[in-house]
């Protein structure tokens, strides 16, 4: 069995949150060991739709969404991340929810982002391929859009692992290391041997639950189905001005692909406790469900040919917003889990905050 060098911080989970946090830790001069049995190429992040916008209609993470959008527009902290596909973002809302959404809109404005409120008539005038009923409004962000999640992951992995004090272990974490008689966390057991660290971050989605339990911490995470289909659109004029679309009233979302004829479309799922796997196909029933919902806003989808898709998963804590937690009951442990599909757009801000909490945890 091999033993990894001692580290200041061990990060379990090399998805977007774990990678972005490791990058920020390395920027602070910390020695970091990343632990992920997929080698940062699998997991939920690999199947992300990559939507990026500054406006968070729930206002739960409004400041983090705005910060994340700013960082992505600057291509990260060193200008090495992929270019943001700035096709614009359109978030559809019920007209009577605008009042509660205004604080989040103000947060986006305060962070320097352009965001306009459009009524249904303005939406269809600016985006003629869309059909929006009169009782809906939209927040339009002309400089937002999306990023290809695999390209972003690879850029972060290069940025992080080229740092001399950072190491990636392609191995599976099996338990947290705790000192006898105490819950102080001081590393991670893995299938390749122990990794000793002053603090540990769990950012491994639903896999974080059994790991936290080995230090006496209950994380009530569950998996939730996510997925999307790719559709071929024959008439490319429908895509000329098509923004990234998020419809909070139906759970539908839509964006252009990286070619002239394809769109990616998905619909929020309520199916939970699904296997934590990523499959590059969708069932006919799922394709029909997505098409039926999304075509109400984007009619060209009604007869478009499906050309692929992804069935995947994410992790959430039911009825509780995702958060970053430094655990007093298990000193040395920090968790950053439960992003429920929104982790990518928040990742730069989450990473900054998580790195700060880890450095505090490592010194106590």
């Amino acid at each position: 069995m091999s033993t990894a060098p001692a580290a200041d911080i061990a990060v379990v989970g090399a998805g977007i949150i774990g990678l972005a946090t490791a990058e920020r830790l390395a920027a602070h001069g910390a020695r970091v060991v990343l632990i992920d049995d997929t080698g940062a190429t699998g997991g939920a992040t690999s199947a992300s739709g990559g939507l990026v916008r500054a406006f968070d209609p729930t206002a739960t993470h409004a400041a983090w969404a705005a910060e994340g959008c700013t960082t992505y527009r600057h291509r990260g902290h060193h200008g090495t991340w992929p270019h943001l596909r700035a096709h614009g973002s359109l978030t559809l809302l019920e007209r009577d929810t605008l009042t509660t959404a205004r604080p989040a809109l103000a947060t986006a404005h305060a962070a320097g982002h352009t965001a306009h409120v459009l009524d249904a008539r303005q939406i269809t005038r600016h985006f003629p391929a869309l059909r929006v009923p009169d009782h809906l409004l939209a927040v339009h962000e002309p400089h937002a859009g999306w990023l290809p999640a695999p390209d972003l992951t690879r850029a972060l992995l290069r940025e992080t692992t080229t740092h001399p004090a950072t190491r990636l272990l392609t191995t599976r974490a099996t338990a947290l290391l705790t000192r006898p008689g105490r819950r102080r966390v001081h590393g991670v057991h893995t299938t390749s041997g122990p990794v000793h660290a002053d603090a540990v971050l769990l950012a491994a989605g639903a896999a974080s639950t059994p790991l936290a339990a080995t230090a006496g911490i209950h994380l009530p995470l569950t998996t939730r189905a996510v997925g999307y289909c790719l559709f071929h659109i024959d008439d490319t004029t429908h895509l000329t001005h098509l923004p990234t679309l998020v419809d909070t009233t139906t759970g539908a979302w839509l964006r252009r692909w990286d070619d002239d004829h394809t769109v990616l479309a998905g619909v929020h799922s309520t199916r939970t406790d699904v296997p934590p796997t990523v499959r590059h196909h969708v069932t006919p029933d799922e394709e029909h469900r997505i098409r039926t919902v999304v075509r109400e806003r984007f009619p060209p989808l009604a007869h478009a040919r499906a050309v692929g898709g992804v069935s995947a998963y994410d992790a959430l804590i039911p009825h509780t917003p995702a958060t970053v937690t430094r655990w007093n009951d298990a000193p040395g442990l920090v968790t950053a889990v439960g992003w429920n599909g929104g982790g990518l757009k928040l990742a730069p801000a989450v990473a900054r905050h998580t790195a700060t909490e880890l450095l505090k945890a490592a010194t106590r």
Side-chain angles (χ1 to χ4, degrees):
M1 301 281 280
S2 63
T3 302
D8 297 316
I9 312 292
V11 175
V12 183
I16 186 64
I17 299 295
L19 282 170
T21 301
E23 187 279 328
R24 288 291 80 200
L25 289 166
H28 284 286
R31 296 174 301 160
V32 182
V33 174
L34 270 164
I35 302 167
D36 194 306
D37 59 356
T38 70
T41 59
T45 295
S46 68
S48 171
L51 274 59
V52 174
R53 59 194 185 278
F55 171 66
D56 173 17
T58 67
T60 303
H61 297 114
W64 285 359
E67 180 182 339
C69 191
T70 297
T71 306
Y72 285 130
R73 287 177 61 183
H74 289 114
R75 301 188 62 198
H77 305 286
H78 309 288
T80 60
W81 298 359
H83 287 282
L84 180 69
R85 275 57 166 178
H87 297 157
S89 176
L90 201 68
T91 304
L92 298 180
L93 309 165
E94 293 281 357
R95 183 180 291 273
D96 59 5
T97 65
L98 181 60
T99 299
T100 58
R102 284 201 181 280
L105 191 59
T107 299
H109 288 156
H113 295 283
T114 302
H116 309 289
V117 177
L118 306 178
D119 62 24
R121 185 175 300 178
Q122 291 170 316
I123 295 168
T124 53
R125 184 168 69 246
H126 289 293
F127 310 107
L130 300 178
R131 295 292 178 271
V132 177
D134 290 340
H135 63 88
L136 298 188
L137 298 172
V139 172
H140 178 222
E141 300 174 66
H143 305 301
W146 64 277
L147 282 163
D151 291 352
L152 176 61
T153 300
R154 285 190 288 268
L156 268 168
L157 186 61
R158 285 193 302 270
E159 204 169 78
T160 302
T161 56
T162 54
H163 195 282
T166 302
R167 178 176 175 183
L168 172 66
L169 290 181
T170 305
T171 188
R172 183 170 62 86
T174 57
L176 297 177
L177 286 169
T178 56
R179 293 190 172 92
R182 300 175 61 196
R183 286 188 176 179
R184 171 77 196 184
V185 174
H186 65 102
V188 183
H189 282 292
T190 79
T191 51
S192 300
V195 175
H196 296 280
D198 296 325
V200 174
L201 169 65
L202 292 183
S208 300
T209 293
L211 291 170
T214 64
I217 298 299
H218 177 54
L219 284 179
L221 286 160
T222 186
T223 55
R224 179 180 66 92
V226 298
Y228 51 76
C229 288
L230 299 173
F231 294 95
H232 181 89
I233 307 297
D234 290 322
D235 186 351
T236 58
T237 61
H238 295 309
L239 306 183
T240 303
H241 301 293
L242 184 68
T244 294
L245 178 70
V246 177
D247 184 357
T248 66
T249 68
T250 65
W253 58 279
L254 176 77
R255 70 163 171 83
R256 283 184 265 177
W257 194 244
D258 255 349
D259 65 40
D260 293 334
H261 283 274
T262 309
V263 297
L264 182 155
V267 177
H268 174 83
S269 175
T270 58
R271 290 193 298 118
T272 58
D273 299 316
V274 299
T277 57
V278 177
R279 301 182 304 277
H280 291 276
H281 67 85
V282 295
T283 65
D285 286 346
E286 181 67 0
E287 177 196 322
H288 176 72
R289 185 180 80 93
I290 291 172
R291 187 193 302 271
T292 299
V293 176
V294 181
R295 72 185 181 187
E296 295 300 313
R297 302 289 182 258
F298 184 61
L301 211 66
H303 304 292
R305 176 167 50 93
V307 292
V310 168
S311 301
Y313 68 98
D314 203 350
L316 71 154
I317 301 175
H319 314 299
T320 303
T323 189
V324 176
T325 304
R326 177 159 49 94
W327 292 90
N328 293 328
D329 291 342
L333 177 65
V334 175
T335 57
V337 292
W339 305 105
N340 195 16
L344 188 140
K345 73 174 182 291
L346 303 174
V350 172
R352 175 188 55 76
H353 181 67
T354 303
T356 299
E357 292 300 303
L358 284 162
L359 292 172
K360 290 177 182 176
T363 59
R364 294 191 177 186

Short mmCIF file of all heavy atoms in Angstrom, two decimals, residues 285-319:
data_model
loop_
_atom_site.label_atom_id
_atom_site.label_comp_id
_atom_site.label_asym_id
_atom_site.label_seq_id
_atom_site.Cartn_x
_atom_site.Cartn_y
_atom_site.Cartn_z
N ASP A 285 -39.00 7.58 -23.10
CA ASP A 285 -39.95 8.28 -22.23
C ASP A 285 -39.39 9.62 -21.75
O ASP A 285 -40.10 10.62 -21.69
CB ASP A 285 -40.30 7.41 -21.01
CG ASP A 285 -41.22 6.25 -21.36
OD1 ASP A 285 -41.80 6.27 -22.47
OD2 ASP A 285 -41.34 5.34 -20.53
N GLU A 286 -38.09 9.65 -21.42
CA GLU A 286 -37.48 10.89 -20.97
C GLU A 286 -37.39 11.89 -22.12
O GLU A 286 -37.63 13.09 -21.93
CB GLU A 286 -36.10 10.62 -20.37
CG GLU A 286 -35.39 11.85 -19.84
CD GLU A 286 -36.04 12.48 -18.63
OE1 GLU A 286 -37.09 11.98 -18.16
OE2 GLU A 286 -35.51 13.50 -18.14
N GLU A 287 -37.04 11.41 -23.30
CA GLU A 287 -37.02 12.30 -24.46
C GLU A 287 -38.39 12.92 -24.69
O GLU A 287 -38.51 14.13 -24.95
CB GLU A 287 -36.59 11.53 -25.71
CG GLU A 287 -36.61 12.36 -26.98
CD GLU A 287 -36.56 11.50 -28.23
OE1 GLU A 287 -35.84 10.49 -28.24
OE2 GLU A 287 -37.25 11.85 -29.22
N HIS A 288 -39.45 12.11 -24.59
CA HIS A 288 -40.81 12.61 -24.79
C HIS A 288 -41.18 13.62 -23.71
O HIS A 288 -41.79 14.67 -24.02
CB HIS A 288 -41.80 11.44 -24.76
CG HIS A 288 -43.24 11.85 -24.85
ND1 HIS A 288 -43.81 12.33 -26.01
CD2 HIS A 288 -44.21 11.90 -23.90
CE1 HIS A 288 -45.07 12.64 -25.80
NE2 HIS A 288 -45.34 12.38 -24.51
N ARG A 289 -40.79 13.36 -22.47
CA ARG A 289 -41.10 14.28 -21.37
C ARG A 289 -40.43 15.63 -21.61
O ARG A 289 -41.07 16.69 -21.48
CB ARG A 289 -40.62 13.69 -20.04
CG ARG A 289 -40.98 14.52 -18.81
CD ARG A 289 -40.46 13.85 -17.55
NE ARG A 289 -39.04 14.11 -17.35
CZ ARG A 289 -38.55 15.13 -16.63
NH1 ARG A 289 -39.38 15.99 -16.04
NH2 ARG A 289 -37.26 15.28 -16.48
N ILE A 290 -39.17 15.62 -21.97
CA ILE A 290 -38.45 16.86 -22.20
C ILE A 290 -39.04 17.62 -23.38
O ILE A 290 -39.30 18.82 -23.31
CB ILE A 290 -36.95 16.57 -22.43
CG1 ILE A 290 -36.31 16.08 -21.12
CG2 ILE A 290 -36.21 17.80 -22.95
CD1 ILE A 290 -34.90 15.58 -21.27
N ARG A 291 -39.27 16.91 -24.47
CA ARG A 291 -39.81 17.56 -25.67
C ARG A 291 -41.18 18.20 -25.38
O ARG A 291 -41.45 19.33 -25.79
CB ARG A 291 -39.93 16.55 -26.81
CG ARG A 291 -40.34 17.18 -28.14
CD ARG A 291 -40.76 16.11 -29.15
NE ARG A 291 -39.72 15.15 -29.40
CZ ARG A 291 -38.79 15.28 -30.34
NH1 ARG A 291 -38.77 16.36 -31.11
NH2 ARG A 291 -37.89 14.32 -30.53
N THR A 292 -42.03 17.48 -24.66
CA THR A 292 -43.39 17.95 -24.41
C THR A 292 -43.39 19.25 -23.62
O THR A 292 -44.19 20.16 -23.90
CB THR A 292 -44.18 16.87 -23.64
OG1 THR A 292 -44.25 15.69 -24.45
CG2 THR A 292 -45.59 17.35 -23.33
N VAL A 293 -42.49 19.36 -22.64
CA VAL A 293 -42.45 20.57 -21.81
C VAL A 293 -41.76 21.72 -22.54
O VAL A 293 -42.29 22.84 -22.60
CB VAL A 293 -41.75 20.28 -20.47
CG1 VAL A 293 -41.61 21.56 -19.65
CG2 VAL A 293 -42.52 19.23 -19.67
N VAL A 294 -40.59 21.47 -23.12
CA VAL A 294 -39.79 22.55 -23.68
C VAL A 294 -40.41 23.13 -24.94
O VAL A 294 -40.28 24.34 -25.21
CB VAL A 294 -38.35 22.07 -23.94
CG1 VAL A 294 -37.49 23.20 -24.51
CG2 VAL A 294 -37.71 21.56 -22.65
N ARG A 295 -41.13 22.33 -25.71
CA ARG A 295 -41.72 22.85 -26.95
C ARG A 295 -42.77 23.93 -26.69
O ARG A 295 -43.10 24.72 -27.58
CB ARG A 295 -42.33 21.72 -27.76
CG ARG A 295 -43.61 21.13 -27.19
CD ARG A 295 -44.09 19.94 -27.97
NE ARG A 295 -45.33 19.40 -27.44
CZ ARG A 295 -45.89 18.27 -27.86
NH1 ARG A 295 -45.31 17.56 -28.82
NH2 ARG A 295 -47.02 17.86 -27.33
N GLU A 296 -43.32 23.98 -25.47
CA GLU A 296 -44.27 25.04 -25.14
C GLU A 296 -43.61 26.41 -25.18
O GLU A 296 -44.26 27.42 -25.45
CB GLU A 296 -44.87 24.79 -23.74
CG GLU A 296 -45.72 23.54 -23.65
CD GLU A 296 -46.91 23.59 -24.61
OE1 GLU A 296 -47.59 24.65 -24.64
OE2 GLU A 296 -47.13 22.60 -25.34
N ARG A 297 -42.32 26.47 -24.89
CA ARG A 297 -41.58 27.73 -24.94
C ARG A 297 -40.78 27.88 -26.24
O ARG A 297 -40.53 28.98 -26.70
CB ARG A 297 -40.64 27.84 -23.75
CG ARG A 297 -41.34 27.74 -22.40
CD ARG A 297 -42.16 28.99 -22.12
NE ARG A 297 -42.80 28.90 -20.81
CZ ARG A 297 -44.08 28.60 -20.62
NH1 ARG A 297 -44.88 28.39 -21.67
NH2 ARG A 297 -44.59 28.53 -19.40
N PHE A 298 -40.38 26.75 -26.81
CA PHE A 298 -39.56 26.75 -28.03
C PHE A 298 -40.21 25.79 -29.03
O PHE A 298 -39.81 24.63 -29.14
CB PHE A 298 -38.13 26.32 -27.69
CG PHE A 298 -37.17 26.38 -28.84
CD1 PHE A 298 -36.89 27.57 -29.49
CD2 PHE A 298 -36.52 25.22 -29.26
CE1 PHE A 298 -35.99 27.61 -30.54
CE2 PHE A 298 -35.61 25.25 -30.31
CZ PHE A 298 -35.35 26.46 -30.96
N PRO A 299 -41.22 26.25 -29.77
CA PRO A 299 -42.00 25.37 -30.65
C PRO A 299 -41.19 24.58 -31.67
O PRO A 299 -41.61 23.45 -32.03
CB PRO A 299 -42.97 26.34 -31.34
CG PRO A 299 -43.14 27.45 -30.35
CD PRO A 299 -41.80 27.61 -29.71
N PRO A 300 -40.04 25.06 -32.20
CA PRO A 300 -39.29 24.24 -33.15
C PRO A 300 -38.87 22.87 -32.59
O PRO A 300 -38.54 21.97 -33.37
CB PRO A 300 -38.05 25.11 -33.46
CG PRO A 300 -38.51 26.50 -33.25
CD PRO A 300 -39.45 26.43 -32.09
N LEU A 301 -38.92 22.70 -31.28
CA LEU A 301 -38.53 21.41 -30.71
C LEU A 301 -39.58 20.33 -30.95
O LEU A 301 -39.28 19.14 -30.83
CB LEU A 301 -38.31 21.57 -29.20
CG LEU A 301 -37.27 20.65 -28.56
CD1 LEU A 301 -35.89 20.98 -29.07
CD2 LEU A 301 -37.31 20.77 -27.04
N ALA A 302 -40.79 20.73 -31.28
CA ALA A 302 -41.88 19.77 -31.41
C ALA A 302 -41.56 18.64 -32.39
O ALA A 302 -41.88 17.47 -32.14
CB ALA A 302 -43.17 20.49 -31.83
N HIS A 303 -40.93 18.98 -33.51
CA HIS A 303 -40.65 17.97 -34.53
C HIS A 303 -39.16 17.81 -34.80
O HIS A 303 -38.77 17.22 -35.80
CB HIS A 303 -41.37 18.34 -35.82
CG HIS A 303 -42.86 18.50 -35.64
ND1 HIS A 303 -43.69 17.45 -35.35
CD2 HIS A 303 -43.65 19.62 -35.68
CE1 HIS A 303 -44.93 17.89 -35.23
NE2 HIS A 303 -44.93 19.19 -35.43
N ALA A 304 -38.33 18.35 -33.91
CA ALA A 304 -36.88 18.23 -34.08
C ALA A 304 -36.43 16.81 -33.80
O ALA A 304 -37.01 16.10 -32.96
CB ALA A 304 -36.16 19.20 -33.15
N ARG A 305 -35.40 16.39 -34.48
CA ARG A 305 -34.87 15.03 -34.34
C ARG A 305 -33.92 14.97 -33.16
O ARG A 305 -32.98 15.77 -33.04
CB ARG A 305 -34.16 14.64 -35.63
CG ARG A 305 -33.46 13.28 -35.61
CD ARG A 305 -33.07 12.87 -37.03
NE ARG A 305 -32.36 13.95 -37.71
CZ ARG A 305 -31.03 14.07 -37.72
NH1 ARG A 305 -30.28 13.21 -37.06
NH2 ARG A 305 -30.45 15.07 -38.38
N ALA A 306 -34.16 14.01 -32.24
CA ALA A 306 -33.25 13.81 -31.12
C ALA A 306 -31.96 13.16 -31.61
O ALA A 306 -32.00 12.19 -32.39
CB ALA A 306 -33.90 12.93 -30.07
N VAL A 307 -30.82 13.70 -31.18
CA VAL A 307 -29.53 13.20 -31.66
C VAL A 307 -28.59 12.84 -30.51
O VAL A 307 -27.38 12.74 -30.70
CB VAL A 307 -28.85 14.24 -32.59
CG1 VAL A 307 -29.62 14.38 -33.88
CG2 VAL A 307 -28.70 15.60 -31.90
N GLY A 308 -29.13 12.62 -29.34
CA GLY A 308 -28.30 12.20 -28.21
C GLY A 308 -28.84 12.73 -26.91
O GLY A 308 -29.90 13.36 -26.85
N GLY A 309 -28.11 12.46 -25.85
CA GLY A 309 -28.52 12.94 -24.54
C GLY A 309 -27.70 12.32 -23.44
O GLY A 309 -26.85 11.47 -23.68
N VAL A 310 -27.97 12.75 -22.23
CA VAL A 310 -27.25 12.27 -21.05
C VAL A 310 -28.26 12.04 -19.93
O VAL A 310 -29.14 12.88 -19.69
CB VAL A 310 -26.19 13.29 -20.60
CG1 VAL A 310 -25.65 12.95 -19.21
CG2 VAL A 310 -25.05 13.37 -21.61
N SER A 311 -28.12 10.92 -19.26
CA SER A 311 -28.87 10.64 -18.03
C SER A 311 -27.86 10.60 -16.89
O SER A 311 -26.88 9.86 -16.95
CB SER A 311 -29.59 9.30 -18.12
OG SER A 311 -30.49 9.27 -19.21
N ALA A 312 -28.09 11.41 -15.87
CA ALA A 312 -27.10 11.53 -14.81
C ALA A 312 -27.80 11.75 -13.48
O ALA A 312 -28.97 11.41 -13.31
CB ALA A 312 -26.11 12.65 -15.13
N TYR A 313 -27.11 12.38 -12.56
CA TYR A 313 -27.62 12.53 -11.19
C TYR A 313 -26.99 13.76 -10.58
O TYR A 313 -25.99 14.30 -11.05
CB TYR A 313 -27.26 11.31 -10.35
CG TYR A 313 -25.77 11.21 -10.10
CD1 TYR A 313 -25.19 11.67 -8.93
CD2 TYR A 313 -24.93 10.70 -11.09
CE1 TYR A 313 -23.83 11.62 -8.72
CE2 TYR A 313 -23.56 10.64 -10.90
CZ TYR A 313 -23.01 11.10 -9.72
OH TYR A 313 -21.66 11.05 -9.52
N ASP A 314 -27.58 14.20 -9.52
CA ASP A 314 -26.97 15.21 -8.67
C ASP A 314 -27.35 14.88 -7.23
O ASP A 314 -28.10 13.93 -7.00
CB ASP A 314 -27.44 16.62 -9.06
CG ASP A 314 -26.46 17.69 -8.63
OD1 ASP A 314 -25.54 17.37 -7.87
OD2 ASP A 314 -26.64 18.84 -9.03
N ALA A 315 -26.81 15.64 -6.30
CA ALA A 315 -27.11 15.38 -4.89
C ALA A 315 -27.72 16.62 -4.26
O ALA A 315 -27.33 17.74 -4.57
CB ALA A 315 -25.83 14.99 -4.15
N LEU A 316 -28.67 16.40 -3.38
CA LEU A 316 -29.30 17.51 -2.67
C LEU A 316 -29.64 17.08 -1.25
O LEU A 316 -29.73 15.89 -0.95
CB LEU A 316 -30.56 17.98 -3.38
CG LEU A 316 -31.79 17.06 -3.36
CD1 LEU A 316 -33.06 17.88 -3.52
CD2 LEU A 316 -31.73 16.02 -4.48
N ILE A 317 -29.81 18.07 -0.39
CA ILE A 317 -30.35 17.85 0.94
C ILE A 317 -31.80 18.32 0.88
O ILE A 317 -32.05 19.52 0.69
CB ILE A 317 -29.57 18.62 2.01
CG1 ILE A 317 -28.11 18.18 2.00
CG2 ILE A 317 -30.18 18.42 3.38
CD1 ILE A 317 -27.23 18.97 2.95
N PRO A 318 -32.78 17.42 0.95
CA PRO A 318 -34.18 17.80 0.74
C PRO A 318 -34.61 18.98 1.60
O PRO A 318 -34.33 19.04 2.81
CB PRO A 318 -34.95 16.53 1.11
CG PRO A 318 -33.97 15.42 0.85
CD PRO A 318 -32.63 15.99 1.23
N HIS A 319 -35.25 19.95 0.93
CA HIS A 319 -35.85 21.13 1.57
C HIS A 319 -34.82 22.04 2.25
O HIS A 319 -35.19 22.89 3.07
CB HIS A 319 -36.90 20.70 2.61
CG HIS A 319 -37.84 19.63 2.12
ND1 HIS A 319 -38.66 19.82 1.04
CD2 HIS A 319 -38.04 18.35 2.56
CE1 HIS A 319 -39.36 18.70 0.83
NE2 HIS A 319 -39.00 17.81 1.73
#
